[in-house]
DNA sequence: CTGAAAGCGCTAACAT
DNA sequence: ATGTTAGCGCTTTCAG
C-alpha cells in the first residue's frame, strides 16, 4: 500500500493524504479523520526510505562503539542503549549501531556524515580533549555527550553524573566511620569521569585534615584481576588501607576477593564502596546489596540523552544536566577497626 | 557531491558512473578507472537513502530486543551484537537496533516489515514453538536464529552451541572425579537451550548408573539471588550435592557465595561448573578462571550469524551450524570429598 | 482547504 | 560500452 494507492481509494490527492497523516494544520478536520481511518484500515505505513529521501532526514540516531579485541562491551553501554533506543522508537527514530574496530572510529563518523545515515549521535565515554567533539562539529552533525568534556572551552551539550561530589560524599562517610587509611582504585584517568572522582576523593580527605597518598591512588583498566592484584599488594604493605573506594563493581569484586584471600573480613577489617552504574550487579547480585555503592541509573540516562538529542536536532534549546548518584548502604562498610599493635 | 554532478564533471551519464562504481561488468576498464579516481578525489559517496529507495533494499539488519523493566540487558547480547555489527559494517549493511517493551515485540516486527526498514533479522533466544518464526515467515523477512527451535518441523536456519553434549561432557567429568550427588541449576526451560542442557546432564548420570533427582534440578531466571537461595536450600538438606552445574556465570556467582556462606570450600567440598558465553565474567574476572566452565565464543557467534544472514538474503544456500563449547578447567572443581559419617 | 507538479539521488530497463 | 528514460514513494513549493 503506497501513498498514491491510498489517495486513489479515497479520491484525494497524495498531497492531501500526506499532509493529513503528517499532522499539517491546513487539512479539513473531516477529511483528516477520513484519511486516518482509511490509513489504519489498510494498514498503511509510509515507506521510510522514500520519506527519508524526500525530507533529507534519516530519522535515525547513531551510536558508534569502538571495538577492542580484548575487552568486552561494557554491560553499562547495553543498558544505556536500551534506555535510549526505547525513546527513539517512540519518537519515530531508528537506532543505528556501528560497532567498529577502534582504529576505524573517525572514518566511521565521516562515512555516517557523508552518506547522511543519521540525524545525530551520542558520544560515549568522552576522553580528555576528545577529538570526536571537534570532528562532529566539523561534520555539522548534532550530538549529545554522555559524560563531560570539561577541558573543551565551548562545551557541547552533555549529561553527566556528579562524580566529584559522589566520591567526596562516599569518602566523607568513611571518614565519619573513623577510617584514616584510604585507597582509591580508579578507572583510567584518560576518561574524564575518573579524574573527577579522584578530585572528590582527595577533597574529602583534605577537608578532614587527611593526606592523600599517591601510592594508594591507582588508575587502571577496571578488570577484576587488576583490582585483585593492586589490593593484594596494598594489604601486604605495612599500615594497609582500611577503606577502599573503587570505580566499578567489577573491580569491587576483585577487591573483595583479595580481602577474603588475605584472611580479612569485608566491612569489619576493610570497608569498601563502589561506584555502580545502576547496575549490572547490584540489581541481580543480592539483596541487601553486597556493596555499599554510589548508583546512577544508566537506563534513565540513556533515555534522557535520547530526549536531549531529539530536541537538539529539532532546534530546541537544550541545556546540559548533571545528575547525582544515589548512595546505598550495603554490607561492605563498617567502623574503622581498632588498631592492633603489630 | 551527487552522482549527477560527478557525471557532469566527467562528461559521462549518471548511468555509466553508477555502473562503474557498483562494479557492473559492462564498463570500459579505462572509463571505470577514470571514474573511480574522480570519485575518490571528490570524496563522492552515494546517498544511501536514494540508493535504498531505488533498489528497494534497506541495507540494514534488524535486531529486536524485548525490554523488561526488571532485568538488565544480557551482556552476552551486547557481545553478540558487537560481533554481528562489525560484519554488517564491513559488508555495507547497517545495524538497526530496536529495544522495545516486551509487549510491543510482535508489533515492532510488523512495523519493520511494513516500512521495509530492514532486509533481514536475527532472532535471539528462541523459545519453544517461538511465534517469531512463523511471524517472520509470514512477513517474508529473511532471518537467522541464534539458538535452536527443535520443535518446529520446518526448521529455520540457525546457529547454536551443542548444549546437550557440553553438559553431558561436564557432568561426566565430575562423575569421573568421583561425585555422585549432583544438582543442576538451569535457565528457564521455556528457552530451548535450557532443555537441551538438562538432557545432557541427565544423560551423563544415566550412562553412569546414577539417578537424577528432580528436586535437584531447577530451572529459573538466572540471577545471583535466585541461585544463592536455591543452593543454600540444597546445602542445608541431608546429603547435599557435592557437584553443581549451572547455566550462567551470574548464577555461578550466587552458588559460590552460598557455598562460602555455608562454611564450605569451593572445589574442595563442592565442585562447580558453569556454562559461560565467552564471557562477560570469565574474561575479566580472574586468571586462571575462578570457575571451571563451558565456554562458547559469543562474539564469533554474532559474526557468524551475520554472515549467514547476509548470504541468506543474497539467496545463497545456507546451512545451520552447531558449535561446540570449549571446556576450561578452573579452580572450582576437585575430587569428590570423602564421606564424613555425620 | 486541496491539487498539480517538481523534485530528492539513485538504479535499471530499454535502447543505441 | 554508453546514454535515455522512467521510475522508487514520498514531501513540498506553488497555484488555485
Amino acid at each position: 500500500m503506497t501513498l498514491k494507492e491510498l489517495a486513489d481509494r479515497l479520491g484525494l490527492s497524495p498531497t492531501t493524504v500526506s499532509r493529513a497523516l503528517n499532522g499539517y494544520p491546513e487539512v479539513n478536520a473531516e477529511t483528516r479523520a477520513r484519511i486516518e481511518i482509511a490509513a489504519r484500515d489498510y494498514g498503511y505505513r509510509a515507506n521510510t526510505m522514500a520519506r527519508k529521501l524526500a525530507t533529507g532526514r534519516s530519522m535515525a540516531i547513531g551510536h558508534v562503539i569502538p571495538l577492542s579485541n580484548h575487552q568486552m562491551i561494557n554491560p553499562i553501554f547495553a543498558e544505556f542503549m536500551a534506555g535510549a533506543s526505547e525513546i527513539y522508537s517512540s519518537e519515530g527514530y531508528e537506532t543505528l549501531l556501528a560497532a567498529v574496530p577502534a582504529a576505524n572510529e573517525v572514518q566511521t563518523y565521516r562515512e555516517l556524515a557523508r552518506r547522511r545515515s543519521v540525524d545525530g549521535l551520542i558520544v560515549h565515554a568522552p576522553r580528555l580533549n576528545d577529538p570526536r567533539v571537534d570532528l562532529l562539529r566539523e561534520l555539522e552533525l548534532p550530538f549529545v555527550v554522555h559524560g563531560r568534556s570539561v577541558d573543551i572551552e565551548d562545551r557541547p551539550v552533555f549529561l553527566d553524573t556528579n562524580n566529584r561530589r559522589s566520591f567526596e560524599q562516599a569518602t566523607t562517610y568513611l571518614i565519619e566511620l573513623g577510617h584514616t587509611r584510604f585507597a582509591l582504585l580508579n578507572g583510567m584517568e584518560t576518561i574524564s569521569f575518573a579524574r573527577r572522582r579522584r578530585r572528590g576523593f582527595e577533597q574529602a580527605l583534605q577537608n578532614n585534615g587527611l593526606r592523600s597518598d599517591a601510592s594508594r591512588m591507582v588508575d587502571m583498566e577496571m578488570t577484576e584481576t587488576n583490582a585483585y592484584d593492586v589490593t593484594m599488594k596494598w594489604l601486604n604493605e605495612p599500615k594497609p588501607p582500611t577503606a577502599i573506594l573503587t570505580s566499578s563493581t567489577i573491580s569491587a569484586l576483585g577487591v573483595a576477593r583479595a580481602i577474603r584471600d588475605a584472611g580479612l573480613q569485608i566491612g569489619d577489617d576493610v570497608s569498601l564502596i563502589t561506584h555502580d552504574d545502576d547496575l549490572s550487579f547490584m540489581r541481580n547480585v543480592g539483596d541487601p546489596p553486597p556493596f555499599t555503592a554510589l548508583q546512577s541509573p544508566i537506563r534513565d540516562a540513556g533515555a534522557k540523552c535520547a530526549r536531549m538529542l531529539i530536541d537538539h536536532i529539532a532546534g530546541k534549546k537544550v541545556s546540559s544536566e548533571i545528575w547525582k548518584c544515589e548512595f546505598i548502604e550495603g554490607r561492605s562498610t563498617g567502623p574503622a577497626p581498632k588498631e592492633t599493635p603489630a
Side-chain angles (χ1 to χ4, degrees), chain A residues 47-60 92 94 96 116-117 119:
Chain A
N47 176 314
T48 16
M49 305 164 208
R51 189 207 292 266
K52 287 172 183 180
L53 180 57
T55 58
R57 312 202 313 154
S58 68
M59 290 308 284
E94 286 169 349
L96 193 83
R116 314 224 131 274
S117 294
D119 292 337

Side-chain angles (χ1 to χ4, degrees), chain A residues 55-105:
Chain A
T55 58
R57 312 202 313 154
S58 68
M59 290 308 284
I61 306 290
H63 291 252
V64 176
I65 157 173
L67 229 49
S68 107
N69 283 324
H70 313 297
Q71 225 178 309
M72 294 271 310
I73 303 281
N74 195 329
I76 298 311
F77 176 77
E79 275 297 292
F80 184 95
M81 288 299 299
S85 179
E86 197 178 349
I87 298 299
Y88 299 147
S89 297
S90 72
E91 298 290 326
Y93 281 87
E94 286 169 349
T95 313
L96 193 83
L97 187 75
V100 294
N104 300 355
E105 199 180 353

Side-chain angles (χ1 to χ4, degrees), chain A residues 98-241:
Chain A
V100 294
N104 300 355
E105 199 180 353
V106 168
Q107 189 202 337
T108 301
Y109 282 111
R110 295 214 124 92
E111 287 282 286
L112 289 175
R114 262 207 291 250
R115 308 157 66 163
R116 314 224 131 274
S117 294
V118 298
D119 292 337
L121 290 144
I122 302 281
V123 171
H124 297 274
R127 299 179 291 273
L128 292 177
N129 274 313
D130 199 304
R132 290 173 292 180
V133 172
D134 281 338
L135 177 59
L136 290 173
R137 282 179 169 158
E138 174 201 327
L139 298 172
E140 296 184 347
L141 276 172
F143 64 100
V144 166
V145 178
H146 181 223
R148 227 176 303 186
S149 317
V150 254
D151 47 335
I152 292 175
E153 74 290 10
D154 180 12
R155 230 184 269 184
V157 177
F158 69 88
L159 171 66
D160 197 8
T161 45
N162 197 333
N163 286 295
R164 198 187 49 66
R165 275 285 279 279
S166 302
F167 271 66
E168 183 177 337
Q169 177 192 5
T171 308
T172 304
Y173 173 84
L174 289 165
I175 292 173
E176 284 165 0
L177 284 173
H179 292 271
T180 54
R181 293 203 305 272
F182 285 83
L184 172 67
L185 222 157
N186 209 351
M188 299 288 273
E189 292 199 9
T190 47
I191 312 286
S192 70
F193 71 73
R195 300 204 148 203
R196 305 184 57 81
R197 290 178 183 178
R198 175 159 58 80
R199 299 255 167 78
F201 174 73
E202 293 179 307
Q203 185 71 56
L205 294 182
Q206 193 185 314
N207 290 348
N208 291 274
L210 295 167
R211 291 196 334 116
S212 63
D213 177 347
S215 74
R216 295 275 166 88
M217 292 188 297
V218 163
D219 74 306
M220 46 171 228
E221 235 185 72
M222 292 182 283
T223 68
E224 202 258 11
T225 321
N226 283 350
Y228 180 89
D229 294 342
V230 173
T231 307
M232 249 338 176
K233 188 180 124 274
W234 284 335
L235 294 178
N236 285 321
E237 291 168 358
K239 298 195 175 276

Side-chain angles (χ1 to χ4, degrees), chain A residues 80 83-84 87 122 144 159 298-311 318-319 321 323:
Chain A
F80 184 95
I87 298 299
I122 302 281
V144 166
L159 171 66
I298 189 70
R299 196 186 281 190
D300 296 348
K304 180 66 190 179
C305 281
R307 270 194 223 95
M308 290 169 79
L309 180 54
I310 289 170
D311 286 349
V318 184
S319 8
E321 287 192 22
W323 286 6

